[in-house]
Amino acid sequence: MREEEELKQRVLLVGVDTGEEEDFTASMQELASLAEACNMEVVGIITQKMERINKALYIGTGKVEEAKQFARDVEAQVAVFDNTLSPSQMRNLQQELDMPVIDRTNLILDIFSSRARTREAKLQVETARLQYMLPRLVGLHDALGRQGGASGSLSNKGAGEKKLELDRRKIEHRISELKKELEEVSSQRLTQRKKRVKSAVPRVSLVGYTNAGKSTIMNRLVDLYIKDDSKKVLEKDMLFATLETSVRMIDVGDKKPFYLADTVGFIHKLPHDLIKAFRSTLEEVREADLLLHVIDVSDPDHRQHMKVTEETLRELGAGAIPMIYVYNKADLCLDEQGERKFPEEVLPMVSQERIYMSAGNGQGLEELTGLITKRLYAANSTEKFLIPYDKGGVLSDLLQNGSVISQEYTESGVCLVINCKPREKEKYKSYLMDES
């Protein structure tokens, strides 16, 4: 244990409060959690209130001197800033502070890099990291000479400039390679998704802030309805434990199955390059019929976390998808007197399109699946169609978009009893059979 502590980097956190964030203190606390997730030890925090960010140094010149002295006093090895720094800001700060400087984006990229397990996740993280590095190459080779001639040819440039351009070309080439590999993996995922669409089984996606309990809900539903431990996903009390999208078929009976997807969690100031890199993975969210917005209701900042999640969903083009709010960890929620806000005997609490539950101890799972199936299948109806044999396209469409109960071949055509959506019923109403 002592050896692990000795291996941890000692870091100084630095943040600027411009008044734009609803809760700057919570943002700094989250930065500390991110640092700890990177096996770092937070030894100090420096903050400053400013109307606007210093374009050259991010913080004020006086605060730079204060941070430099403070870092020496607490023996900090790295300065971590609570925002994305521009290439010039990072270069200037490293020179002024005389120590390595990283920003929030770099920190999140490090976490993603250490958590990635599948080939797709590793490719996505490496793509995002290289895209982040590309504009920050300037200044990384200050130790090399930069004597250049009058012409713009590479042969007349100094060692530093040549090294810089070579590195840039290597990175651009590698990004191009990674994008091709990701396209291949993405096409495989698209094929799998098309198979799920063809089955006409509704799709549900778990979304929410990181560490809200999405994977726990997935695993408890696997326990309840699949009963196969090999179908479980990684479940751990840590930031970004899950980076890969996992899809499981949940069959609650009564011919009301649905696909459930567990997705990567969101976070405040999630790097844009990461969102772009993980866009193919997050297609499961965009294609969902229903979203389960999982919220850690025991977290004092859960309302801000909800806002971040909804903003990210809008950015992904998934803001209009129907949603159920799943207030998880309700058993840990305390009132102002420090007492349990939701005693065990009152959980779960179901109210219209929301549920207060505790996936950790199994409270509310059946009620949750009841909400899901009610929402997914409420508008569906069981209909009987007679499809002439020369209308194969109609039959194919109904089979693809409905849940077949029975299928019989008669002299007049295919007699199909199917649970279908209102859209299919209206579209093919001329083929409906009169029940009388």
Side-chain angles (χ1 to χ4, degrees):
M1 184 72 176
R2 187 172 297 173
E3 287 181 5
E4 277 188 18
E5 292 176 357
E6 289 174 357
L7 290 174
K8 289 184 178 181
Q9 282 187 309
R10 297 171 61 84
V11 299
L12 172 67
L13 306 185
V14 185
V16 173
D17 182 6
T18 60
E20 295 180 0
E21 293 192 49
E22 290 186 15
D23 195 337
F24 174 70
T25 302
S27 180
M28 292 301 294
Q29 289 173 346
E30 188 171 83
L31 183 67
S33 297
L34 288 168
E36 289 166 4
C38 273
N39 199 38
M40 295 173 169
E41 180 186 358
V42 178
V43 294
I45 299 176
I46 290 279
T47 61
Q48 183 176 20
K49 283 193 174 184
M50 300 174 70
E51 289 186 5
R52 60 181 64 87
I53 298 298
N54 185 320
K55 290 184 179 180
L57 292 165
Y58 188 73
I59 54 178
T61 53
K63 188 61 71 170
V64 170
E65 287 300 318
E66 180 185 333
K68 185 175 182 178
Q69 185 57 52
F70 188 69
R72 287 174 179 168
D73 294 342
V74 297
E75 298 180 349
Q77 299 166 296
V78 181
V80 180
F81 283 72
D82 184 38
N83 220 323
T84 301
L85 298 174
S86 69
S88 60
Q89 286 171 339
M90 186 168 288
R91 183 172 64 252
N92 295 338
L93 284 166
Q94 286 183 156
Q95 291 174 350
E96 294 294 328
L97 295 175
D98 192 26
M99 65 190 304
V101 171
I102 61 176
D103 58 17
R104 187 186 184 96
T105 298
N106 207 340
L107 206 56
I108 294 174
L109 286 169
D110 282 344
I111 295 174
F112 271 57
S113 182
S114 65
R115 303 280 195 270
R117 293 291 178 269
T118 65
R119 175 171 172 255
E120 183 178 20
K122 290 176 180 178
L123 291 172
Q124 289 167 327
V125 173
E126 187 180 352
T127 301
R129 181 179 286 284
L130 291 176
Q131 288 172 333
Y132 169 81
M133 283 176 56
L134 194 57
R136 291 166 174 80
L137 288 176
V138 179
L140 294 180
H141 308 290
D142 289 339
L144 298 173
R146 281 199 162 212
Q147 296 177 350
S151 93
S153 68
L154 188 62
S155 60
N156 286 332
K157 296 180 179 181
E161 197 158 354
K162 284 191 285 187
K163 181 71 166 66
L164 185 65
E165 292 191 14
L166 288 171
D167 282 354
R168 183 179 284 116
R169 289 177 186 175
K170 285 180 182 177
I171 289 177
E172 288 174 343
H173 179 67
R174 179 58 181 156
I175 290 174
S176 178
E177 288 180 335
L178 288 168
K179 286 183 176 179
K180 288 179 182 177
E181 290 185 62
L182 276 171
E183 284 177 7
E184 292 177 8
V185 178
S186 181
S187 66
Q188 295 171 7
R189 183 179 290 280
L190 182 61
T191 301
Q192 294 172 345
R193 192 181 300 124
K194 283 181 178 178
K195 288 180 180 178
R196 290 195 290 271
V197 170
K198 190 174 182 180
S199 72
V201 175
R203 290 156 293 169
V204 181
S205 282
L206 291 157
V207 297
Y209 215 74
T210 181
N211 209 28
K214 297 182 294 299
S215 297
T216 303
I217 290 175
M218 168 74 92
N219 286 341
R220 296 298 84 77
L221 291 178
V222 167
D223 282 336
L224 191 59
Y225 296 106
I226 301 179
K227 305 183 191 309
D228 182 351
D229 287 346
S230 69
K231 298 294 184 182
K232 289 185 177 181
V233 298
L234 177 63
E235 176 187 335
K236 204 167 182 180
D237 184 15
M238 65 193 303
L239 299 178
F240 300 116
T242 302
L243 294 188
E244 294 78 27
T245 295
S246 303
V247 182
R248 303 288 183 265
M249 166 79 86
I250 304 295
D251 190 349
V252 300
D254 197 26
K255 294 188 180 293
K256 292 181 179 178
F258 58 89
Y259 285 112
L260 183 65
D262 183 23
T263 61
V264 62
F266 304 139
I267 197 169
H268 185 45
K269 302 175 186 175
L270 187 66
H272 188 69
D273 285 338
L274 267 179
I275 294 177
K276 287 196 299 183
F278 277 76
R279 189 170 290 276
S280 61
T281 303
L282 291 168
E283 283 295 318
E284 293 291 346
V285 175
R286 292 182 58 186
E287 298 296 327
D289 297 296
L290 179 67
L291 299 180
L292 301 185
H293 183 168
V294 183
I295 303 138
D296 178 359
V297 71
S298 70
D299 192 315
D301 299 309
H302 70 270
R303 288 186 177 83
Q304 176 62 20
H305 295 175
M306 291 173 67
K307 183 178 178 182
V308 169
T309 298
E310 288 168 0
E311 286 174 353
T312 308
L313 288 172
R314 283 194 291 271
E315 186 175 348
L316 289 169
I321 298 174
M323 184 181 295
I324 292 175
Y325 292 91
V326 182
Y327 291 89
N328 191 32
K329 307 184 188 182
D331 58 318
L332 304 177
C333 192
L334 304 179
D335 60 22
E336 294 178 358
Q337 286 72 41
E339 300 294 329
R340 285 185 60 167
K341 192 172 182 179
F342 304 103
E344 190 171 346
E345 58 269 18
V346 306
L347 290 178
M349 292 172 57
V350 182
S351 173
Q352 295 181 339
E353 305 305 329
R354 64 185 61 201
I355 178 172
Y356 289 82
M357 60 177 287
S358 172
N361 59 26
Q363 290 175 309
L365 295 173
E366 292 181 359
E367 288 79 2
L368 175 61
T369 53
L371 269 180
I372 294 170
T373 53
K374 180 181 177 182
R375 188 69 174 268
L376 290 174
Y377 290 95
N380 286 16
S381 60
T382 299
E383 305 296 341
K384 192 173 184 180
F385 295 88
L386 181 62
I387 314 298
Y389 288 113
D390 62 347
K391 299 295 181 181
V394 175
L395 178 63
S396 176
D397 195 25
L398 282 170
L399 292 174
Q400 181 173 325
N401 292 291
S403 179
V404 178
I405 296 172
S406 69
Q407 186 174 343
E408 181 183 354
Y409 293 87
T410 69
E411 290 184 4
S412 304
V414 180
C415 182
L416 188 69
V417 179
I418 189 168
N419 187 270
C420 63
K421 298 176 183 177
R423 180 180 59 195
E424 277 70 41
K425 180 182 178 181
E426 176 62 26
K427 186 176 180 180
Y428 300 116
K429 61 184 179 182
S430 60
Y431 301 101
L432 284 169
M433 296 181 68
D434 188 352
E435 293 296 332
S436 60

